[in-house]
Amino acid sequence: MGLLYLGTPLVWDEAKKYADHVRTHGITQFLHIWDRLKDRQGDELLWGDEIEYMVVSFDDKEKNAKLSLRQTEILAKLNTIVDDLGADCPDNVSVPKFHPEYGRYMLESTPGAPYTGSIPDLLSVESNMRYRRNLARKHLKPNEIPLTFTSFPRLGVPGQFTEPYFDPKDAISSHSFFLPEEVTNPHARFPTLTANIRRRRGSKVAINLPIFIDEKTPRPFIDSTIPWDRALYPEDPDAKLGAALPDHIYLDAMGFGMGCCCLQLTFQSCNVADARRMYDGLIPIGPILLALSAASPVWRGYLADVDSRWNVIAGSVDDRTEEERGLKPLKENKFRIPKSRYDSVDLYISNDWINRPEYNDNPLPYDEKIYDRLRGHGIDDLLSKHISHLFIRDPLVIFSETIDQDDTVSSDHFENIQSTNWQTLRFKPPPPNSGIGWRVEFRSMEVQMTDFENAAFAVFVVLLSRAILNFNLNFYIPISKVDENMERAQQRDASTSRSFYFRKDVYSTVRSAGSSACSSSGTSSPVDGAPKKKEKKMRNCFPPVPTPENGFAYTQPVEEEYEEMSMNEIMNGKGDDFPGLLPLVDLYLDTLEIENEDMVKIQKYLDLVRRRSNGSLMTPASWIRKFVQSHPSYKKDSVVSQEINYDLLLAVDEIERGVRRAPDLLPEDYTGGNKDQGSIGL
């Protein structure tokens, strides 16, 4: 997460003095990168995943599952193991890496080297994920387990939910009622980030999730676990004064959001234009896959009436002042900012003709001086607006040792602001002095309970990204409708009960009556009479989107280009009217030379996504909710007790290892981590 320096972080009153300095030099650093690499071409497909785990300590005697706060000790041990393995590995084998995260109970893992576009690499993803999980597990205490679980159900409850126990009264960074200081990674960046968000905002963060109303849930629900009368920190009266809403679960600290685990994917593009094209193509996919991967229906010991983490994280790092939130007239601040710095994407950025200006229909505050500077340097309107919009934010953590940098060789000031704009996608310029190209990071998905599920979503997204580029697919809808989809995606049972806005005709060019479903820019096309030679690996470089047969005239108003569809229709199609994302991926697979055995494996992954989308398999959130409501000790009052939480997390581990069947969550032939502990080719 972000940049981890060893140095002296500035408290907010000092840091804000250098905000313009960081912005000015950050733009200078971006311009140096742009000048050097704007014409870079021909980068191959390299991609990777980031998976986050929470380490859970099980107390079988007390039937309590607690978060283990041994991150520093665990990472030191794992990194020594990784170094030893790497020293003995052949050159063609890369040992995975482990990294710190915000929560002191969290681990992040990545492959040791990026995957390529080869089919063997595509099929190695699950095995690589399993290897990482089992490597971590082998070096934990016997009662500790690394779980890929989005949100710890009893984070912030009264009593002991961490190992060891700490008192929330010492929460000097967040001033939280519920989370102790020690739940946060001790590296100076993280408590400083937490405190500076609170100080800049002028209050604690305040997140309110609607509680799930069950038969015996009190009405109105007024949470008796909130210490309403505490008078320890200046913000303590806020809950009583309206920060904590009736019939809601109140969360008051960054840790509730940034302590969540997720699955993220990053793809290297052929060039900057293709990166912008893929970025735009995946923007409408973000909420769809958030709904399909939904995995977090329990917060602070209560069942919520939402299934996903997104708004929790958005609220947990919302550093906007009352002026910026529109609660007071602008006086001290420059901008009214509609969203948190963690939220959905605000702007499509491709210069392809299919990106109609009407799609960017949300208000977009941006720094006009930075915009003019970028335009004066020759950067186009959309990219200039994208960067100058990101740069309306203040840098939150500044280290005194890094204030002055050589802008020709560093991008740290640029990344200070870029990396703390946490959106559903991130457009990533190449780092200076590296062999890395222009990249796109896909960030909306919740982490799944098994490596099979995480691999399935990773495989689906990389194949869909290739289909977008290969077939010139057009998924554009107004960005305001993407935002509406994001809200719908988080609602309870969204994937089966809600509809989503999606484009009706996803083909870029106007088709004649005799043309087939897709036109392809690849070497193997599903429309030509004679099949062309199939490719042995997923390519990365594609021709630009061709101009339409009738010139640049758009044939219909934007409002007629999209409609509401069910998840099943979006993913699996609507007969002749709409092909569906999975059939489009299948069309792309037809352009590749794949052995039958390998295709069977790929289809197993796609079938999981298919069955999630048609409702024949549950989302993790629905499965968790059902587990809680079916538990013998559940009192139909929305409370997830210590015993229920213990049994739930034990069940999750048993499912992952394949010793507990979950046919409503996973396919019947799922085997689990006990039988397959993964491999990196050693």
Side-chain angles (χ1 to χ4, degrees):
M1 174 185 173
L3 307 165
L4 294 188
Y5 296 112
L6 291 175
T8 309
L10 302 180
V11 297
W12 177 243
D13 284 344
E14 289 299 312
K16 66 183 181 182
K17 299 174 184 177
Y18 295 97
D20 286 334
H21 173 90
V22 170
R23 275 190 285 265
T24 298
H25 287 271
I27 294 299
T28 300
Q29 292 170 0
F30 172 75
L31 292 174
H32 280 296
I33 293 170
W34 180 259
D35 289 343
R36 286 197 300 268
L37 299 169
K38 67 181 185 295
D39 298 321
R40 180 180 176 131
Q41 294 281 345
D43 283 318
E44 67 170 319
L45 173 60
L46 296 175
W47 66 284
D49 67 81
E50 300 171 37
I51 286 189
E52 292 162 349
Y53 313 82
M54 56 180 64
V55 179
V56 178
S57 172
F58 287 88
D59 182 339
D60 297 333
K61 183 179 178 182
E62 297 294 329
K63 286 206 163 187
N64 195 4
K66 299 167 285 187
L67 292 167
S68 171
L69 303 185
R70 297 196 312 114
Q71 181 196 75
T72 303
E73 180 184 341
I74 292 167
L75 280 176
K77 188 171 187 178
L78 281 175
N79 288 331
T80 299
I81 299 294
V82 164
D83 289 344
D84 291 345
L85 286 170
D88 296 331
C89 272
D91 291 341
N92 64 337
V93 174
S94 296
V95 181
K97 297 178 173 65
F98 292 88
H99 316 273
E101 256 296 341
Y102 179 90
R104 201 181 292 203
Y105 52 87
M106 298 171 71
L107 306 174
E108 180 186 272
S109 78
T110 56
Y115 307 118
T116 69
S118 74
I119 302 307
D121 272 15
L122 186 70
L123 292 173
S124 74
V125 173
E126 181 183 359
S127 189
N128 193 293
M129 290 176 176
R130 286 185 186 273
Y131 181 89
R132 285 179 255 161
R133 184 194 297 267
N134 282 290
L135 185 62
R137 186 170 190 140
K138 287 176 185 175
H139 299 288
L140 298 178
K141 291 180 177 179
N143 68 326
E144 291 177 334
I145 297 174
L147 296 180
T148 45
F149 202 76
T150 299
S151 64
F152 188 73
R154 286 177 57 81
L155 181 68
V157 299
Q160 185 171 5
F161 59 87
T162 63
E163 181 57 49
Y165 170 81
F166 291 99
D167 193 324
K169 290 179 181 178
D170 70 352
I172 57 174
S173 299
S174 69
H175 294 182
S176 174
F177 280 150
F178 314 110
L179 301 186
E181 186 74 10
E182 290 81 3
V183 85
T184 304
N185 184 321
H187 186 284
R189 169 182 162 82
F190 298 103
T192 303
L193 184 60
T194 304
N196 284 357
I197 285 173
R198 175 177 53 78
R199 289 169 179 146
R200 188 189 187 281
R201 176 184 171 91
S203 66
K204 289 196 296 186
V205 298
I207 305 129
N208 285 277
L209 298 177
I211 194 161
F212 172 74
I213 303 297
D214 211 336
E215 293 177 22
K216 297 181 180 179
T217 307
R219 299 301 305 275
F221 170 75
I222 305 297
D223 189 356
S224 62
T225 69
I226 296 174
W228 297 99
D229 296 320
R230 193 179 82 170
L232 183 62
Y233 294 111
E235 303 91 344
D236 282 355
D238 291 355
K240 246 183 183 178
L241 296 174
L245 302 178
D247 292 328
H248 285 72
I249 306 163
Y250 173 56
L251 312 173
D252 69 345
M254 184 175 173
F256 285 108
M258 285 301 187
C260 291
C261 298
C262 60
L263 167 66
Q264 296 168 346
L265 305 169
T266 300
F267 307 96
Q268 178 175 263
S269 293
C270 176
N271 52 47
V272 65
D274 276 7
R276 294 168 70 173
R277 186 171 154 202
M278 180 164 57
Y279 178 90
D280 281 13
L282 290 174
I283 287 172
I285 306 302
I288 304 306
L289 293 190
L290 175 61
L292 275 182
S293 65
S296 46
V298 186
W299 298 88
R300 208 165 54 72
Y302 296 110
L303 277 174
D305 208 30
V306 298
D307 277 0
S308 299
R309 79 198 188 286
W310 193 265
N311 282 351
V312 175
I313 313 185
S316 77
V317 294
D318 190 357
D319 69 328
R320 293 174 300 159
T321 66
E322 288 184 312
E323 292 180 13
E324 290 167 335
R325 283 178 276 150
L327 302 177
K328 291 182 177 179
L330 286 177
K331 184 179 178 182
E332 301 296 326
N333 300 113
K334 296 179 182 178
F335 305 101
R336 161 84 171 86
I337 305 177
K339 297 180 185 178
S340 167
R341 61 198 300 155
Y342 194 118
D343 218 310
S344 50
V345 168
D346 288 313
L347 187 74
Y348 294 113
I349 61 173
S350 173
N351 277 329
D352 288 338
W353 67 270
I354 59 174
N355 181 12
R356 296 173 67 166
E358 299 97 312
Y359 298 141
N360 284 320
D361 65 333
N362 272 352
L364 187 83
Y366 61 91
D367 189 307
E368 292 185 9
K369 289 183 179 179
I370 291 175
Y371 172 83
D372 290 342
R373 184 181 172 195
L374 294 165
R375 293 289 282 142
H377 202 84
I379 296 175
D380 61 89
D381 171 65
L382 284 175
L383 188 55
S384 295
K385 279 184 177 168
H386 170 75
I387 298 294
S388 58
H389 171 62
L390 298 183
F391 271 62
I392 65 173
R393 310 286 182 173
D394 282 338
L396 291 170
V397 181
I398 299 174
F399 289 86
S400 60
E401 295 85 352
T402 63
I403 291 172
D404 296 314
Q405 300 174 9
D406 183 345
D407 294 336
T408 64
V409 297
S410 175
S411 63
D412 288 350
H413 283 323
F414 173 76
E415 289 296 337
N416 192 328
I417 293 176
Q418 154 95 345
S419 69
T420 55
N421 275 270
W422 299 278
Q423 298 180 338
T424 41
L425 282 99
R426 184 176 283 151
F427 171 73
K428 303 179 77 168
N433 306 310
S434 78
I436 299 171
W438 297 90
R439 294 152 296 149
V440 173
E441 184 180 13
F442 188 78
R443 301 173 43 82
S444 69
M445 293 186 291
E446 310 225 307
V447 77
Q448 307 295 283
M449 295 188 278
T450 70
D451 296 311
F452 172 74
E453 296 164 276
N454 287 316
F457 279 101
V459 166
F460 171 72
V461 175
V462 72
L463 290 173
L464 181 63
S465 76
R466 300 306 94 190
I468 290 169
L469 296 170
N470 197 63
F471 298 141
N472 298 311
L473 298 176
N474 178 355
F475 294 155
Y476 283 109
I477 60 174
I479 208 97
S480 63
K481 296 302 179 186
V482 178
D483 283 355
E484 193 164 335
N485 282 349
M486 283 295 293
E487 291 305 311
R488 295 182 182 190
Q490 299 172 69
Q491 294 172 11
R492 176 165 49 91
D493 299 327
S495 64
T496 54
S497 67
R498 297 308 307 251
S499 60
F500 299 89
Y501 293 104
F502 211 81
R503 190 178 182 89
K504 294 186 283 188
D505 186 352
V506 298
Y507 310 114
S508 296
T509 55
V510 176
R511 293 168 286 155
S512 63
S515 69
S516 183
C518 279
S519 62
S520 169
S521 60
T523 59
S524 177
S525 168
V527 297
D528 295 340
K532 295 182 179 179
K533 185 178 179 182
K534 295 191 174 188
E535 298 188 335
K536 294 183 182 295
K537 64 188 296 187
M538 295 182 287
R539 68 145 86 182
N540 205 36
C541 295
F542 302 86
V545 176
T547 55
E549 296 171 11
N550 65 342
F552 282 82
Y554 300 111
T555 58
Q556 58 186 339
V558 166
E559 294 75 16
E560 296 178 15
E561 294 180 342
Y562 58 88
E563 65 181 9
E564 294 187 59
M565 299 185 198
S566 69
M567 181 66 75
N568 187 37
E569 290 169 338
I570 292 169
M571 298 301 294
N572 298 308
K574 289 179 63 176
D576 294 334
D577 295 332
F578 177 78
L581 300 183
L582 282 159
L584 288 168
V585 166
D586 283 335
L587 278 175
Y588 173 69
L589 287 169
D590 285 343
T591 72
L592 300 175
E593 185 179 304
I594 303 175
E595 297 292 332
N596 288 340
E597 184 180 346
D598 292 342
M599 184 63 83
V600 168
K601 294 176 183 176
I602 292 171
Q603 288 299 333
K604 279 188 177 182
Y605 295 131
L606 298 181
D607 194 53
L608 175 83
V609 180
R610 184 175 294 110
R611 294 187 62 192
R612 280 267 183 96
S613 58
N614 68 25
S616 61
L617 287 178
M618 288 181 165
T619 62
S622 295
W623 185 90
I624 293 165
R625 193 181 297 277
K626 179 183 176 184
F627 183 97
V628 170
Q629 292 183 285
S630 303
H631 195 279
S633 69
Y634 178 64
K635 298 177 181 177
K636 301 185 184 301
D637 57 358
S638 311
V639 174
V640 179
S641 67
Q642 177 176 304
E643 180 186 358
I644 295 173
N645 184 57
Y646 172 86
D647 289 342
L648 168 65
L649 296 182
L650 270 185
V652 168
D653 177 55
E654 290 170 353
I655 289 169
E656 190 284 320
R657 291 188 289 115
V659 300
R660 180 189 181 114
R661 309 303 296 169
D664 46 0
L665 178 70
L666 294 165
E668 289 281 358
D669 59 354
Y670 173 76
T671 53
N674 274 8
K675 291 187 177 180
D676 178 6
Q677 298 198 359
S679 170
I680 55 171
L682 283 175

